[in-house]
Amino acid sequence: MPRRDDLKRILILGSGPIVIGQAAEFDYSGAQACRVLAAEGYEVILVNSNPATIMTDPDFATATYIEPLLPGPVTQVIERERPDALLATLGGQTALNLASTLSADGTLDRFGVELIGASADAIRRAEDRELFRETMVSAGLRVPRSMIASSVAEGEAALSEIGLPAIVRPAFTLGGQGGGIARTRAEYEQIVAGGLAASPIGQVLIEESVLGWGEFELEVMRDRADNAVIVCSIENVDPMGVHTGDSVTVAPQQSLSDAVYQELRDQAIAVIRAIGVETGGSNVQFAVNPTTHEIVVIEMNPRVSRSSALASKATGFPIAKIAARLAVGYTLEEIPNDITLATPASFEPTIDYVVVKWPRFAFEKFAGAEPVLTTHMKSVGEAMAIGRTFAQAFVKAMRSRELDVSPEVDLPVEELLSRAQRPGASRYDEILEALRRGASVEELHERTAIDPWFLAEFAEIARDPDSTFRGVRTFKAVDTCAAEFAASTPYFYSGWERPGQDGKPTHEAARGERAIVILGSGPNRIGQGIEFDYCCVHAAQAVRATGREAVMINCNPETVSTDYDTSDRLYFEPLTLEDVLGVIELEQPEGVIVQFGGQTPLRLAAGLEQAGVKLLGTGVDAIDAAEDRGRFGALLAASGCKAAPFATAQSIPDALREAERVGFPLLVRPSYVLGGRAMEIVYSTEALADYLERSTAGADGREIYLDRFLENAIEVDVDALCDGTEVWVAGIMQHVEEAGIHSGDSACVLPPHSLGGPMLARICEQTSQIALSLGVIGLINIQFAVVGGDELFVIEANPRASRTVPFVSKAIGFPLAKLACRIMLGERIAELGLPADPMRGTHVCVKEAVMPFNRFLGADSLLGPEMRSTGEVMGIAVDFPTAFAKAQAAAGSALPDTGTAFITVTDGDKPAGAGLAAQLHDLDFRIVATRGTAQAIERMGIPVTVLNKVGEGSPHVVDWIARGDVDLVINTPTGSGARSDGWEIRRAAHTRGIPAITTLSGGQAAIRAIRSARGGEPSVISLQELHRGR
Amino acid sequence: MSFVYLEDGARFDGVACGAAGAAVGEVVFNTGMSGYQESITDPSYARQLLTFTYPHIGNYGVSEAAMESSAVHARGAIMRAARNGRHCAGAESGWLDWLAGRGVVAITDLDTRALVRHIREAGSMRGGIFPAEVSEQRARELIAAEPSMNGRDLAQEVSPAEAFTLEPTGAGGGDGPTIAVIDTGIKSSIASNLRARGARLRVYPCTVSAAEILDGEPDGVFIANGPGDPAALAYIVEELRSLVGRLPVFGICLGHQLLCRAVGLETYKLRFGHRGANHPVKDLETGRVEITSQNHGFAVLGPAGERTLDVDEPVRWETDFGVAELTHINLYDHTVEGLRLPEAGASTVQYHPEAGPGPHDALHLFDRFIGELSRARAGI
């Protein structure tokens, strides 16, 4: 069955911002789909609100809309573009839910759009808990005993049927959000209530517990001719009870016999047929009783998923690419296997190595949240490693985590065992240490229910760490077929093997021609996300365009950079100096690029240079000159730029002494960190002393940075290119929130909405001076603060790709990272054909951060100098308020049209807070406030209802929010930390999904946005229209 | 320490495991990721050294239920990272203990991928697993003493000495068909699949005559899988020619090759064979693709002597038994995977629908065969 000719235009939905449970894997899958469908001659229309994606690069689609993934904007896109079909199975749960809505509300029928990949019925059968259960039972498959509850009362009734422990899963949520395991009655009641609120359809599934059973996933693909294949089996090392996204997982499965595995295979195929996914990939999850081998089906995703991205990287079988082809009518047999070229995709990959995936956590960023793993996913990223044995893969994955702080394992064995029993972020560090100190496999199995096969492997790793890496580093190929056929795709990993007969390693990779090695950014984490992967992919594209060979090293399976199509050779390796040098020794590259992968490759720069490796672009000395406080201060002074007073302290007493000289308030942090890790603003010596005691700053000989904090300053971010003699300012972004909020968490607008021409000119001038003085070759990002309208301070300079590069690139229509790479390879700015004022245009672009507070309910959601956002969205419109409103909607905190606004602000903010109240009143909002704020509002003559603070008794403000009687919260901090009123208010708002704005400027922007939204739904525009002619 | 030595002088070092001593045979590789015990007890691996491409072998131990025959037939096992665990529920022994107990020589910690790449390029060849103290010169001599697989009749080595009967285990209430099995090395999974569908099996040594089979008045004939070169089994082919057309026939693997020879096709040795659990086979009649379990070193040539078929429909030609159809092809290399003689009521497949180990996609072939026999019995 060849491709369908009745389709011409296909709409693809992306997955939106990176959030926990839905990350870069959907850029990988979506980008593949766009590329394949375009190559098949279809016109692709794409909607995705996330500018930091490769798929939203304008050359990936005929029309690219960076618009909110909501029914309104997408309907407008459909109306304008009139696609014939909608492919929603590659954009995660977001795309699937949106497609269901557009199907249910008749939009797709109205415009004659066919849902391809999975039908609305199939989606419903997979996603609706009750329907799923019925479908499985009628297919003869066993599911855990379960009951559906749509109310607290139904939840009560279910308890007597199911018993404890029970698992609560809300319907239609990402990564099990809002669910959990209840072991006690009290936990049960709490989780059921939370789950009902989290589910968009107010429904939870209450399930028989299969805790401790083995957890397995099979990736299955099916074509129009009903042929089905299993791409990969994945076994969770953590048994049932830990979300698969938070589990260490291994491919292929290790512990099941062929007989049991084949039973899983049969069931996985039965599931995809029963659900009725006609074409494409699905993920089926099973629990297997370790004693009886009884199998129950847990769930299935009728779409490409995080696990399918992992399976693709683990086997070399590109699931998304093939799913896209199947959706337009091909059969598996008609699609060639990319890697062998000689064989078709209608086969099952077989591998001759072991793959381990390890989650990356960020609990340290969310003080107050319980660092315990449950069925509710909490990891922010993942690393994958490939080895010839399980131990090789496991240890490589472990070192790919790039932890900032080593896990605490210097504990008594009993303490280690009890920690391992309650799964947390450091579970395996604890298990290895316990084994090292003599704990037995039996003991650990008793505590953790982890399969003894894995524990025996851990025991060997613990007992003799060297045994894992005996032999020589040997680069082997990932080829889908265990070497049965010759592979043409250069995808490699290192294993440790005996040398060949000639005494040399039996490498399957060989040095290429004019290779340039690009170092990736490793596992996603807060502060280092998909933006850097975007830059690395652009670097690979730029390198290839010059006729050189791009060689990628990275260990993040979610990414486009680890798609073997991205580079000429891909090495799936940890980003440690030793592993990277291993590749370099074989490749003998012309140069290595460390500028695009965030802090990860920068940390290796000095070591690489010492090893005699040629780094391209900005040199190690310039990086040091920008990072070293003293050197950078001197450079600023020499360039006539101003910096806020600062000091670098070597010890705690030193810091306390220096603080007096710098003056308060001040910003304090440890040196060399990304994402404002452990950064705080302190207003007094006492507060500073407290910080120094709490944090690890000053420990292990690291320096402590002190900077005067500029209050009420406007923060500005600049991205620029420099070739050593010329500087090109690509974008100036004004932060919406005041200085003091980490730039990664602040909304920003391009071009700046309230800075005048002369100030912008000064910013450009200082950017040039700094870039030239540092000797930047490539990208530089500089943060400035504008104080009192005309004073300009330099906050910091980073001579590398910044988090804002993709946003700026999309806003101005020039691919910054690619241009930077060309400069690093020797081109001059003058040769690049760039306009003098790239920001000139009719549109305003707003970037908004997306916060994961709904995952960490104990943590305070107050914004501060430490970055905590996981992703970003972009709003594009003709004016700032509309662009801001779009960005808010895209970020999932759509502003209310009208309703009740609750305002509580600090004393200093009361006049301005009352001003906001007046504006909201004029917009017909009902105003409620706590007593002090209410008095200020009343003085403006605005009617206001006074609410009790939490301490003043019920009904208090949190009760109001929890009841759903508040639609908008404006709350500037009167105190942070657990159990303060502000904390309770923000927590309640996040639980209800109500926007909670914590800065006055944010409040002002929100009000302008609400006003502009009264003018009707903003129109949509594609990047191709926006940048026509570029 | 020990090493694998090949007849072309290639050497791969490793660590001895399993039983002590040396073993020689044809070195082949299987790409399946599970099912090691099923494979090594499959009689088709007789006189072969079996290389497992998946690194960890032995993870879930061994059990009686996974036996494909009563003995280990491969001469030795070559592995990357063998395991001896027996924690898995149902494991009756550790894999390495079991190999040692059964006197099977094995080697681990060997770069199996390098070995497989060598065989892929150079073709399967004779070789041996030798203790480190054996000299390469001595290894060469031992290998040279082992006859080549070409032209070898190994079926008689694995065939039973005398006929015996296996009663049905499943549905049918004793009313199912009786099938005469020409046992050239039948796997337990095949027998159990037939018996579970109500069939009673009369299992004969491979030297059985057509007359003897016909005397038993069976409802159909099954020709089994087995080791060695089908070209060396002319005596079976001869008897088959007397049976085809008189009784419905079904065959698997070697049985397929023999039926093909009976209708005049030739067989040849593949460069390194098909051994694994992931080979796609297309049914040219229905267009469906099945993922199959495979274990064969020889294959069938098309009616014009072609090694590969680039077709979308069955290849038809006239034979002594009426029209013949090549019904299946391997999508990896387009070699022949199935034959059907519609007028004679015979059909065979090159792959292993019984799995053991491998996927169950083709189990329906047993339903089809038993269904045909049952209908014939009932006179429908």
Side-chain angles (χ1 to χ4, degrees), chain A residues 7-269:
Chain A
L7 306 177
K8 299 268 180 285
R9 292 166 77 77
I10 298 174
L11 173 64
I12 293 183
L13 299 178
S15 66
I18 303 304
V19 293
I20 290 174
Q22 201 163 270
E25 62 270 18
F26 297 109
D27 188 25
Y28 164 63
S29 54
Q32 280 198 340
C34 290
R35 199 155 35 198
V36 161
L37 295 181
E40 289 289 344
Y42 295 103
E43 290 177 17
V44 174
I45 319 299
L46 172 69
V47 187
N48 191 357
S49 55
N50 185 348
T53 49
I54 290 296
M55 71 190 304
T56 54
D57 274 355
D59 44 356
F60 273 75
T62 310
T64 308
Y65 288 86
I66 300 188
E67 297 287 349
L69 287 161
L70 294 169
V74 174
T75 302
Q76 275 195 62
V77 170
I78 291 173
E79 193 163 5
R80 294 185 87 200
E81 299 285 350
R82 299 303 176 121
D84 303 304
L86 165 58
L87 180 56
T89 50
L90 299 160
Q93 197 66 37
T94 300
L96 210 59
N97 288 354
L98 186 50
S100 299
T101 305
L102 293 171
S103 166
D105 72 10
T107 305
L108 298 183
D109 280 346
R110 185 148 51 94
F111 294 103
V113 182
E114 179 187 344
L115 203 48
I116 56 174
S119 68
D121 283 344
I123 296 171
R124 228 181 9 259
R125 275 193 290 274
E127 298 284 333
D128 180 290
R129 287 276 152 203
E130 187 55 24
L131 215 48
F132 179 72
R133 228 173 82 83
E134 285 168 13
T135 309
M136 291 303 100
V137 170
S138 61
L141 303 171
R142 158 127 155 72
V143 290
R145 274 195 311 280
S146 67
M147 287 180 78
I148 300 286
S150 301
S151 68
V152 171
E154 286 178 25
E156 276 301 299
L159 182 59
S160 54
E161 287 290 315
I162 308 294
L164 292 173
I167 298 180
V168 180
R169 296 172 187 272
F172 284 98
T173 67
L174 289 180
Q177 185 185 315
I181 305 157
R183 292 183 180 79
T184 66
R185 197 183 172 85
E187 277 178 4
Y188 180 82
E189 285 165 6
Q190 187 198 338
I191 296 173
V192 168
L196 287 169
S199 165
I201 60 166
Q203 191 192 80
V204 294
L205 177 78
I206 295 153
E207 214 168 64
E208 164 193 4
S209 166
V210 286
L211 290 180
W213 290 31
E215 185 169 357
F216 296 84
E217 292 172 76
L218 268 65
E219 298 300 319
V220 54
M221 299 207 78
R222 184 180 183 215
D223 67 18
R224 277 212 288 176
D226 191 30
N227 296 311
V229 297
I230 304 297
V231 175
C232 189
S233 62
I234 300 175
E235 178 167 5
N236 289 17
V237 179
D238 296 277
M240 289 295 294
V242 176
H243 190 279
T244 179
D246 286 351
S247 295
V248 169
T249 63
V250 54
Q253 68 85 14
Q254 302 294 326
S255 68
L256 299 179
S257 68
D258 186 67
V260 180
Y261 170 69
Q262 296 303 339
E263 181 60 30
L264 285 186
R265 184 183 179 280
D266 292 346
Q267 292 199 14
I269 294 172

Side-chain angles (χ1 to χ4, degrees), chain A residues 254 266 333 350 457 498, chain B residues 31 54 83 109 282 360:
Chain A
Q254 302 294 326
D266 292 346
E333 180 203 339
T350 187
E457 295 290 311
R498 289 167 196 281
Chain B
T31 63
Y54 189 68
R83 292 295 181 260
D109 277 351
K282 184 173 184 175
H360 299 155

Side-chain angles (χ1 to χ4, degrees), chain A residues 719-721 727-732 750-751 764 808-816 819 833-843 845 1026-1027 1030:
Chain A
D719 281 316
L721 296 173
V727 174
W728 185 70
V729 175
I732 302 178
L750 182 156
C764 286
V808 173
S809 299
K810 278 173 188 156
I812 65 173
F814 288 95
L816 273 194
L819 296 169
L834 300 171
D837 181 8
M839 287 185 289
R840 200 185 56 213
T842 53
H843 278 74
C845 298
L1026 198 61
H1027 302 308
R1030 289 217 164 145

Side-chain angles (χ1 to χ4, degrees), chain A residues 921-967:
Chain A
H921 172 71
D922 293 346
L923 288 167
D924 299 326
F925 273 82
R926 177 185 180 198
I927 311 295
V928 297
T930 49
R931 203 166 314 278
T933 307
Q935 279 167 5
I937 294 171
E938 269 170 351
R939 276 197 290 275
M940 299 277 286
I942 306 298
V944 57
T945 305
V946 178
L947 300 189
N948 280 350
K949 290 187 172 182
V950 178
E952 293 169 351
S954 288
H956 52 63
V957 48
V958 171
D959 297 329
W960 273 63
I961 297 171
R963 273 205 309 263
D965 289 343
V966 171
D967 304 292

